[in-house]
Amino acid sequence: MNYEKIFGDAVAAIRAEGRYRIFQDIARKRGDFPKALHYVKDGAREIVVWCSNDYLGMAQNELVLAAMHEALDRVGAGSGGTRNISGTNHYHVLLEEELASLHGKENALLFTSGYVSNDATLSTLVSLMPGTIVFSDAMNHASMIHGIRNARADKRIYRHCDMAHLRSLLSEVGRDQPKVIATESVYSMDGDIAPLSEICDLADEFNALTYVDEVHAVGMYGAHGGGITERDGVAHRVDIIQGTLAKAFGTMGGYITGSANLIDAIRSYAPGFIFTTSLSPVLVAGTLASVRHLKASSVERDSQKERVEALRSRFIAAGLPVMPSVTHILPLMVGDPVSCRAVSDELLQEFGMYVQPINYPTVPRGTERLRFTPGPLHTDEMMDDLVAALNVVWERRKLQRAA
């Protein structure tokens, strides 16, 4: 058995399809976001990052950095264990209380990432309720799909945001059978938003639990950054709100919020929580500062929204094929993995502008795209330079313009 050939052939297949992923070696510049240094063999040069999930620049916020420095000096670097064995630092307790408050829930539970919180929670939730059927949006994130698969759950996939299809599937199941409707709020590849009020109405009608992934919405929407559930006034109707700390809050980790009983059950049964060393208290302290700041301040959100519209209007004026996003995410359709990779490479190498190509399996084949996430600190000059560079590459590659 030639193991190395197996591995090499697997990678070669991805390369042949034009979707081999290259990790760009960058170092963000503190106090100068969205600028960063891009490291290559012959040195490093300054670039502008256009695809960061640090949507509001909170990873560079002075309050966040100060809180992390203070925590490092007070308690050291790591947590020292799992949450059950010496790894529950007081910062963890404070942050869970803050997140529960943010979403109007009784309790919250921290995980090491948003992926783990989805996987561990959904798989555990189903295992606690034998016979559960999960109704999952067709475009749900891989972490949600993985959690449902790990539970070996009976599942029904409804067409993306299609409430008539969801109703039809729910109507086929008895009212007393355990049911979970799982959806995201903001879908990050297309930039659309799920109809949460209608989902809650269906959940009430058919006696289902609701699970909403808010990873691309927490910090970004609602008067206090509670996400689309807060913005749309449905947080109290959603049983489980899941979120991340790694995007708008600017640090790392994931969490769920819900009733005290539900959180206690997941805490007590989920292997992905029980057997994992807890988040570094340094990260947790920074997150606590970030959440508290964004609960009180709308400055970052308002500025970010204005910047999104500024870039969207430039894309439209230039005839670039920006997808009809209603959120902070601006995808430009390319439609081919090789061209998508080439455009990204040329923007980075020639113009010092970094946007990662999004290829299959993240998006369906034939819908490959560039995904831009303009933030509060992207200037008009940066946007004008970006559009000029895109025009050059679009013409060179003979790519399709907007109709």
Side-chain angles (χ1 to χ4, degrees):
M1 178 65 69
N2 187 339
Y3 296 111
E4 289 301 312
K5 184 176 186 304
I6 292 172
F7 305 144
D9 288 349
V11 173
I14 293 177
R15 287 185 182 276
E17 293 180 27
R19 59 185 184 92
Y20 179 75
R21 299 184 180 195
I22 297 171
F23 297 161
Q24 300 298 346
D25 183 358
I26 68 172
R28 301 203 296 169
K29 299 176 70 174
R30 176 183 170 176
D32 206 12
F33 183 77
K35 294 181 180 178
L37 292 178
H38 178 222
Y39 288 86
V40 292
K41 290 182 179 179
D42 57 352
R45 67 167 180 155
E46 188 175 89
I47 62 170
V48 175
V49 179
W50 284 101
C51 55
S52 175
N53 284 340
D54 182 14
Y55 296 137
L56 300 177
M58 292 302 293
Q60 305 286 321
N61 183 279
E62 290 299 328
L63 293 173
V64 173
L65 299 180
M68 295 178 77
H69 280 294
E70 180 184 358
L72 183 65
D73 290 338
R74 288 185 61 193
V75 302
S79 69
T82 65
R83 288 291 297 274
N84 185 51
I85 305 176
S86 82
T88 295
N89 189 279
H90 188 52
Y91 287 113
H92 295 104
V93 176
L94 293 176
L95 180 55
E96 286 174 341
E97 290 175 351
E98 198 71 42
L99 291 169
S101 170
L102 175 66
H103 295 293
K105 299 300 181 188
E106 292 178 342
N107 215 335
L109 191 65
L110 290 172
F111 292 82
T112 50
S113 74
Y115 191 106
V116 173
S117 59
N118 269 336
D119 184 3
T121 302
L122 283 167
S123 60
T124 302
L125 189 67
V126 172
S127 71
L128 291 172
M129 301 185 298
T132 295
I133 298 177
V134 180
F135 296 82
S136 179
D137 188 288
M139 296 296 289
N140 277 344
H141 190 265
S143 57
M144 301 174 77
I145 295 168
H146 199 232
I148 295 166
R149 285 177 179 167
N150 278 347
R152 295 181 175 85
D154 187 359
K155 62 181 181 295
R156 306 282 192 276
I157 308 301
Y158 63 91
R159 291 186 291 270
H160 180 50
C161 292
D162 187 333
M163 294 299 98
H165 191 214
L166 176 56
R167 168 181 284 280
S168 174
L169 294 175
L170 285 165
S171 67
E172 297 171 356
V173 179
R175 180 174 174 79
D176 292 333
Q177 184 160 6
K179 294 177 285 294
V180 178
I181 302 173
T183 182
E184 298 181 48
S185 59
V186 171
Y187 283 85
S188 65
M189 291 302 125
D190 290 346
D192 56 341
I193 294 175
L196 297 185
S197 293
E198 295 177 58
I199 289 173
C200 289
D201 289 343
L202 289 172
D204 291 344
E205 182 178 349
F206 291 97
N207 192 28
L209 286 175
T210 46
Y211 185 102
V212 177
D213 174 320
E214 286 260 50
V215 297
H216 292 280
V218 290
M220 301 294 293
Y221 299 91
H224 305 95
I228 300 299
T229 50
E230 182 188 22
R231 188 199 73 173
D232 291 357
V234 297
H236 65 289
R237 302 179 65 193
V238 174
D239 297 293
I240 306 166
I241 297 175
Q242 182 265 358
T244 186
L245 312 174
K247 293 181 172 61
F249 292 133
T251 58
M252 178 182 175
Y255 67 90
I256 59 169
T257 64
S259 70
N261 282 338
L262 185 146
I263 296 298
D264 205 14
I266 301 300
R267 183 187 76 90
S268 300
Y269 283 91
F273 173 80
I274 295 170
F275 299 107
T276 301
T277 297
S278 62
L279 285 168
S280 162
V282 177
L283 284 170
V284 177
T287 307
L288 183 62
S290 182
V291 173
R292 285 174 172 170
H293 176 74
L294 291 175
K295 283 176 74 174
S297 171
S298 293
V299 172
E300 292 80 7
R301 284 188 288 275
D302 292 343
S303 177
Q304 196 269 348
K305 289 173 184 174
E306 184 276 329
R307 294 286 77 195
V308 169
E309 294 311 311
L311 185 58
R312 190 197 313 274
S313 65
R314 284 168 167 81
F315 282 169
I316 292 172
L320 292 165
V322 59
M323 296 172 65
S325 164
V326 295
T327 66
H328 57 283
I329 295 159
L330 297 180
L332 281 187
M333 179 59 69
V334 178
D336 172 74
V338 175
S339 296
C340 202
R341 172 84 264 167
V343 171
S344 173
D345 288 345
E346 290 172 20
L347 286 173
L348 182 61
Q349 294 162 10
E350 294 182 35
F351 300 99
M353 301 170 186
Y354 174 37
V355 57
Q356 188 70 13
I358 307 296
N359 293 333
Y360 177 84
T362 306
V363 295
R365 298 179 193 275
T367 67
E368 292 81 6
R369 68 201 63 177
L370 301 173
R371 175 181 174 274
F372 294 86
T373 54
L377 302 176
H378 285 102
T379 65
D380 285 343
E381 182 181 6
M382 290 176 182
M383 291 184 183
D384 291 339
D385 289 344
L386 171 65
V387 172
L390 283 166
N391 277 327
V392 170
V393 177
W394 235 254
E395 288 301 314
R396 178 189 300 159
R397 291 275 162 188
K398 306 300 181 187
L399 296 174
Q400 186 172 348
R401 294 273 181 171

